[in-house]
Amino acid sequence: MTVLSYEEALAAYDPVLGLEVHVELNTTSKMFCGCSTAFGAEPNTQVCPVCLGLPGSLPVVNAKAVESAIRIGLALNCTIAEWCRFARKNYFYPDMPKNYQISQYDEPIAYDGWTEVVLDGEIYRIDIERAHMEEDTGKSLHVGGATGRIQGAEYSLLDYNRSGVPLIEIVTKPIEGTGVKAPEVARAYVTMLRDLLRALGVSDVRMEEGSLRCDANVSLRPHGTTTFGTRTETKNVNSLRSVERALRYEITRQAAVLAGGGRVMQETRHWHEESGITTAGRSKETAEDYRYFPEPDLVPIAPSREWVEELRATLPEPPAARIDRVSAEWGFSELEMRDVVSAGAVNAIEATVAAGASPQSARKWWLTEIARRANELGVDLENVGVTAHQVAEIQALVENGTINDKLARQVFEGVLAGEGSPADVVTARKLAIVSDENALAAAVNEAINANPDIVDKIKSGKTQAAGALIGSVMKQLRGQADAARVRELILEKIG
């Protein structure tokens, strides 16, 4: 696939974004029936006539899902409809047994909202078109192919456990003016939304399990023009990192098409994590193609203003206010906090501090060692495989002198390899710092005897030369010594 460099693409075109985020609610039962929503059950064990679309079955609205939808709308500064109703979105797909999806069309429960994200100290306003209720589809598993997609598969299996799980779809208005930072703004928005939804307590927002999914739309227009270009929609992007990468790639792909005199097709695209590219899906349907009409089996929803105001009183601290608060509590500089936000590490650091670590030490580990491993694995920080409690435990081992920072990196390695708790790893790998004074003295004597020229420099007053002897001792003891104590012993013996 021909692409331009990102710099060339942005030199010629302005990107316009549109983000559709699907949120699975954490209700106990499904949107229109009493089946469980628990993740990970055996296929097709959490189904009934309603979510299987059997003849004669009738849906009943989940009141808790409506409450969650209103709270999400309020948190996004939306207007909450005084009256709204469900619609049937008609199309055939094997994982949707009714051949239509119960959704909302022109009468969503929440609309015309806004929120803000901060990126590199700059505030970007994101206008919200709507947040509407619908039901999730089932899940298809394509077997026998090389990619896990339907093309090339030998056969497909269907699991209807997810069919009917409550969904909220949050749709932005076109996001303009982000320039070269467009993919980063998109990632910052989805990150903020994930944190907000988690704070609301309405979803577990586990992208790796599909409870938070993003459809990323983008179009390009030449600089100096105002007419939107033709957009593509990259479907079901399931990590924060991938939101940024998919949009960056799609911008370079569309720019190459336009620069070559071609025409961008309005279509869905599939994101391929391994290769870092998108490929064509299907031509994008319009609303008319879905033959929307009001759902005849459900009555309209009319939330009272009193109920809406009661729910407003339950809203958590807004994300921007939370950032300001924790930054002040932790004593971080503006630049330090900016790095934390950009890395998506606010929650991780807050949990690590709650587990007993200092803010600076928590920041150090999450933004260095853990961030490096996340980058190597191609995952977001929260999916690296180490918990906030484990990070705090490793830092405690450093502070009580059991290990040093260098050894701590080996402890992280062991924890990630499934070797047990940090303390277990220290014991199993024999990483504890050598505190035996006799062993330290013996290593120091060996280093002094092997380096008479360095000893002479130290005796002449050049104490900084002790660093070479310290390095020699640390090498003998495999890094398992307190460098400060080693320095003291060296100077005592030479001095």
Side-chain angles (χ1 to χ4, degrees), residues 31 42 82 103 114 134 146 158 201 255 259 277 294 347 357 367 371 381 401 466:
M31 188 72 210
E42 286 296 312
E82 296 188 10
S103 181
W114 61 273
E134 60 186 25
L158 295 169
I277 67 170
N347 290 333
L367 266 61
L381 277 183

Side-chain angles (χ1 to χ4, degrees), residues 124-148:
Y124 293 86
R125 179 184 169 107
I126 310 294
D127 290 319
I128 305 297
E129 176 74 32
R130 58 196 280 140
H132 66 260
M133 299 178 288
E134 60 186 25
E135 59 178 339
D136 211 344
T137 61
K139 186 174 182 179
S140 300
L141 178 65
H142 305 299
V143 182
T147 64

Side-chain angles (χ1 to χ4, degrees), residues 26-62:
N26 59 1
T27 54
T28 303
S29 57
K30 293 184 181 180
M31 188 72 210
F32 301 115
C33 67
C35 291
S36 172
T37 59
F39 180 82
E42 286 296 312
N44 298 307
T45 58
Q46 297 174 171
V47 294
C48 73
V50 174
C51 54
L52 288 176
L54 299 183
S57 60
L58 293 174
V60 177
V61 174
N62 185 323

Side-chain angles (χ1 to χ4, degrees), residues 342-388:
S342 296
V346 176
N347 290 333
I349 291 175
E350 188 170 41
T352 306
V353 170
S358 69
Q360 284 292 354
S361 63
R363 179 183 181 277
K364 173 187 68 178
W365 291 122
W366 284 103
L367 266 61
T368 56
E369 186 66 16
I370 303 173
R372 178 180 66 80
R373 293 178 183 276
N375 188 58
E376 289 173 352
L377 296 169
V379 299
D380 299 321
L381 277 183
E382 63 176 14
N383 295 324
V384 169
V386 63
T387 68

